[in-house]
Amino acid sequence: MSVTPVTITITGAGGQIGYALLFRVASGAMLGPDTPVRLNLLEIPQGLRAAEGAALELQDCAFPLLHQVEVYDDPKAAFRGTSHALLVGARPRAAGMERGDLLAANGGIFGPQGEAINAGAADDVRVVVVGNPANTNALIASAHAPDVPADRFTALTRLDHNRALGQLAPAMDTPVGDIRNVTIWGNHSATQFPDVAHATAAGDPVPALLAARLGGVDAAREWIVDEFIPRVAKRGAEIIEVRGSSSVASAANAAIDHMRDWVHGTTGGWTSAAVVSDGSYGVPEDLVSSFPVESVDGSWRIVQGLSLDAFAQHRLATSVAELVDERDAVRALDLI
Ligand SMILES: NC(=O)C1=CN([C@@H]2O[C@H](COP(=O)(O)OP(=O)(O)OC[C@H]3O[C@@H](n4cnc5c(N)ncnc54)[C@H](O)[C@@H]3O)[C@@H](O)[C@H]2O)C=CC1
Ligand SMILES: O=C([O-])CC(=O)C(=O)O
């Protein structure tokens, strides 16, 4: 076991996802059983008591890997020395709030957090933004951290990816673990494009397996377009309707999957993450967009050379147009 603990900062630690994250991260589910951790919990004053309560419970779990827990309301202190930052705390949309208001409110959070990461995080810092609008919040944070390579800032679309696997497995009567190479493209929003064109299950192409089960290529296409894509893209709203509040444990689980694969590498195919575009697939450079990605030697790499048919190109362009709108809106507000 390495002796020096790794510092992990979790923002919004007093909230729902924070509570679902902390104990799994402290148990080693994210960085593995050989990496001791130090947790820095960042909250705003209203959330401090909840974070402090979680810190007491963490102590009571006596996790062997957990060396220290600190609770902060100052981003500079919370990000000092951090190598893994999970930015969960965000301003939720309130009744009557326009999109510009929401972006401005989140700019007030992710700008200063980007500055704090720039000022004090470890050289190898990895950042995943969970708080919505996640892609554009990551863009804002990155813009305020000029000394940190932009590819260190990512946003979470692993939950959408996992949701897609969760829908496909029963549709094909296949274990989730046999499915490979699903892609979420674009924004973490209802415009995202969950794509199974290159996916396989136990080595066989998913489109052909669906056609065999559903009675033909047209029926498979209909299921993909009319059921699968909207179900995955609107799953967040479905969970809110059924549970009465947004996804918590599945979001925390996805954030752990994202960070674990980033650090330890992907195996057996690609996954999905929102990363800074290098212009691949026509996505304008610098947008934080979801792509098919592999993690190699500690870095995300966009999988190259996939063919996109006219439908796929249209779906990707629609989601990218939304990302461009969000970027232009935060630019107009001087947030980037
Ligand atoms: N990307 C994804 O896949 C998903 C994203 N989300 C988003 O994650 C975010 C958090 O969700 P929940 O934990 O359920 O919300 P929550 O409201 O339970 O917790 C958010 C916490 O963040 C704190 N917070 C607010 N501003 C902060 C700041 N400047 N610094 C530090 N902490 C701050 C609040 O005090 C609160 O304790 C929301 O924006 C939600 O929309 C939720 C599910 C999936
Ligand atoms: O939809 C929401 O408000 C929360 C979210 O991002 C998701 O569940 O994907």
Side-chain angles (χ1 to χ4, degrees):
M1 188 183 290
S2 68
V3 266
T4 315
V6 167
T7 302
I8 301 169
T9 303
I10 298 179
T11 77
Q16 295 293 319
I17 295 175
Y19 195 71
L21 257 180
L22 291 172
F23 300 87
R24 291 193 60 204
V25 171
S27 75
M30 188 171 89
L31 296 182
D34 300 324
T35 307
V37 297
R38 183 189 288 137
L39 295 184
N40 286 353
L41 315 188
L42 178 66
E43 261 293 348
I44 49 177
Q46 305 89 291
L48 278 177
R49 291 297 281 167
E52 284 162 3
L56 296 182
E57 282 201 73
L58 282 165
Q59 186 179 17
D60 295 347
C61 290
F63 289 117
L65 291 170
L66 183 59
H67 281 219
Q68 189 185 315
V69 184
E70 296 286 351
V71 179
Y72 298 100
D73 64 0
D74 169 15
K76 289 246 165 21
F79 288 111
R80 196 166 294 135
T82 200
S83 354
H84 301 81
L86 294 95
L87 309 191
V88 179
R91 177 76 192 277
R93 189 191 291 271
M97 211 180 200
E98 297 298 330
R99 196 179 58 147
D101 301 332
L102 184 72
L103 290 169
N106 279 295
I109 294 173
F110 289 88
Q113 291 185 359
E115 284 165 18
I117 289 168
N118 197 55
D123 287 345
D124 64 349
V125 67
R126 292 178 169 85
V127 182
V128 60
V129 176
V130 178
N132 281 318
N135 300 52
T136 297
N137 288 340
L139 184 70
I140 294 169
S142 172
H144 286 78
D147 302 330
V148 179
D151 66 2
R152 296 271 154 185
F153 286 85
T154 64
L156 188 73
T157 53
R158 184 62 171 264
L159 177 55
D160 311 290
H161 183 95
N162 288 347
R163 285 167 171 165
L165 297 178
Q167 293 301 316
L168 284 172
M172 296 185 304
D173 200 14
T174 306
V176 165
D178 283 353
I179 305 174
R180 302 268 187 275
N181 298 343
V182 166
T183 303
I184 305 295
W185 299 90
N187 203 0
H188 172 67
S189 77
T191 68
Q192 67 179 257
F193 172 39
D195 181 10
V196 299
H198 303 278
T200 59
D204 295 319
V206 161
L209 288 171
L210 287 170
R213 277 187 77 83
L214 297 172
V217 172
D218 290 345
R221 185 149 187 89
E222 204 171 295
W223 182 82
I224 291 168
V225 173
D226 296 338
E227 292 190 39
F228 169 75
I229 292 176
R231 190 91 192 266
V232 173
K234 296 181 188 164
R235 186 67 157 186
E238 182 182 349
I239 300 288
I240 291 171
E241 194 191 319
V242 176
R243 279 188 88 230
S245 70
S246 60
S247 301
V248 174
S250 55
N253 179 66
I256 286 169
D257 284 351
H258 175 109
M259 225 20 137
R260 185 201 58 228
D261 284 357
W262 194 355
V263 173
H264 292 298
T266 40
T267 50
W270 65 76
T271 186
S272 304
V275 299
V276 174
S277 176
D278 58 0
S280 294
Y281 298 100
V283 178
E285 281 184 34
D286 302 334
L287 286 182
V288 177
S289 175
S290 190
F291 286 100
V293 290
E294 288 169 322
S295 165
V296 183
D297 298 333
S299 298
W300 290 120
R301 288 193 196 154
I302 297 171
V303 175
Q304 297 296 327
L306 300 178
S307 56
L308 274 73
D309 65 14
F311 172 78
Q313 287 178 26
H314 171 71
R315 287 288 317 214
L316 174 58
T318 302
S319 199
V320 166
E322 184 182 50
L323 286 172
V324 168
D325 278 355
E326 289 183 14
R327 181 201 58 197
D328 291 348
V330 294
R331 206 176 256 165
L333 290 163
D334 259 344
L335 295 172
I336 58 171

